[in-house]
Amino acid sequence: TQLLEQSPQFLSIQEGENLTVYCNSSSVFSSLQWYRQEPGEGPVLLVTVVTGGEVKKLKRLTFQFGDARKDSSLHITAAQPGDTGLYLCAGQAMEYGNKLVFGAGTILRVKS
Amino acid sequence: KAGVTQTPRYLIKTRGQQVTLSCSPISGHRSVSWYQQTPGQGLQFLFEYFSETQRNKGNFPGRFSGRQFSNSRSEMNVSTLELGDSALYLCASSRGDGDTEAFFGQGTRLTVV
């Protein structure tokens, strides 16, 4: 059982469409991060959210941390082929020894 | 500043052999964590080292071990390799002072044949 459940697992969309990826848990996280990983490379940190209800924007990407700090979402507006990759959420929680735990990821493919 | 460096990038070993992977963290970062990534299991935490001490450990058999040197560089070792150990091994560097923002290397792709 994943400590962080991501959905959907796979997403294939056309360029220009919008999408949302979700990251849910029954645990409370002190911080939550989103990473993007391309094939054969390591994950690259996109954002860290720490406050319940926090919203952060990174160009066309909008990240939200749930009020109860148990869930997060990543919304991409007008997706581009360059957004293709594996999106991973990761969180830090005291009940997991404060180590970073990862969701299984969402594979996004944006077709031109 | 330089990023996280992992060596080698690719490795092919046969069953029963052992392997050592290396990770040089970002300068000033004292924590190094290791992960195994496979298509079926995703990113699985192996262990974390901070100031030369193992601070956290995942659920992997004792064949997987690691260490950290005084300059924060880390190595992980896998002994008696099995086919199922084929994976991308990722190292992540962080400050380690409660800040878990992790910066990953490109990984070592290990293939066991």
Side-chain angles (χ1 to χ4, degrees):
Chain A
T1 303
Q2 290 284 347
L3 302 173
L4 282 165
E5 297 285 342
Q6 283 190 244
S7 62
Q9 284 185 293
F10 305 98
L11 202 49
S12 181
I13 60 171
Q14 289 295 135
E15 181 177 2
E17 292 184 5
N18 301 332
L19 66 115
T20 302
V21 175
Y22 300 93
C23 177
N24 295 295
S25 177
S26 57
S27 302
V28 176
F29 287 86
S30 56
S31 69
L32 201 139
Q33 294 153 27
W34 285 92
Y35 294 81
R36 185 168 77 95
Q37 184 179 20
E38 297 188 27
E41 302 292 327
V44 175
L45 179 65
L46 296 173
V47 77
T48 299
V49 285
V50 297
T51 305
E54 183 176 3
V55 176
K56 280 192 174 179
K57 289 182 187 270
L58 185 66
K59 297 183 182 177
R60 294 177 293 101
L61 278 58
T62 301
F63 305 85
Q64 185 160 10
F65 201 12
D67 291 340
R69 290 185 288 131
K70 293 184 178 183
D71 56 87
S72 181
S73 64
L74 156 61
H75 182 80
I76 301 179
T77 303
Q80 305 292 313
D83 295 328
T84 293
L86 173 67
Y87 287 82
L88 295 156
C89 68
Q92 178 189 20
M94 206 175 297
E95 68 185 270
Y96 306 128
N98 279 327
K99 65 178 185 284
L100 204 56
V101 294
F102 280 82
T106 293
I107 296 173
L108 171 65
R109 181 183 169 209
V110 183
K111 296 175 283 188
S112 56
Chain B
K1 57 184 175 184
V4 180
T5 304
Q6 287 190 248
T7 56
R9 285 293 310 273
Y10 304 94
L11 209 46
I12 300 176
K13 291 284 190 179
T14 53
R15 277 180 296 176
Q17 285 188 310
Q18 68 147 19
V19 68
T20 299
L21 312 181
S22 178
C23 173
S24 292
I26 291 171
S27 178
H29 283 194
R30 295 163 65 191
S31 170
V32 173
S33 297
W34 288 90
Y35 295 84
Q36 181 195 67
Q37 188 176 34
T38 58
Q41 298 296 317
L43 264 167
Q44 301 288 311
F45 174 77
L46 281 155
F47 28 66
E48 179 203 4
Y49 285 86
F50 178 78
S51 292
E52 302 179 65
T53 302
Q54 188 179 85
R55 186 159 73 170
N56 265 307
K57 189 177 187 308
N59 297 322
F60 277 80
R63 300 185 298 107
F64 292 82
S65 63
R67 59 178 175 168
Q68 187 180 33
F69 302 95
S70 58
N71 62 358
S72 294
R73 191 177 71 84
S74 177
E75 289 181 346
M76 69 162 277
N77 184 276
V78 188
S79 62
T80 321
L81 284 165
E82 301 176 1
L83 295 178
D85 296 333
S86 295
L88 181 66
Y89 289 87
L90 291 160
C91 152
S93 147
S94 64
R95 291 207 312 256
D97 54 0
D99 175 5
T100 54
E101 285 193 343
F103 297 87
F104 283 84
Q106 291 180 297
T108 294
R109 170 71 63 185
L110 171 65
T111 302
V112 182
V113 297

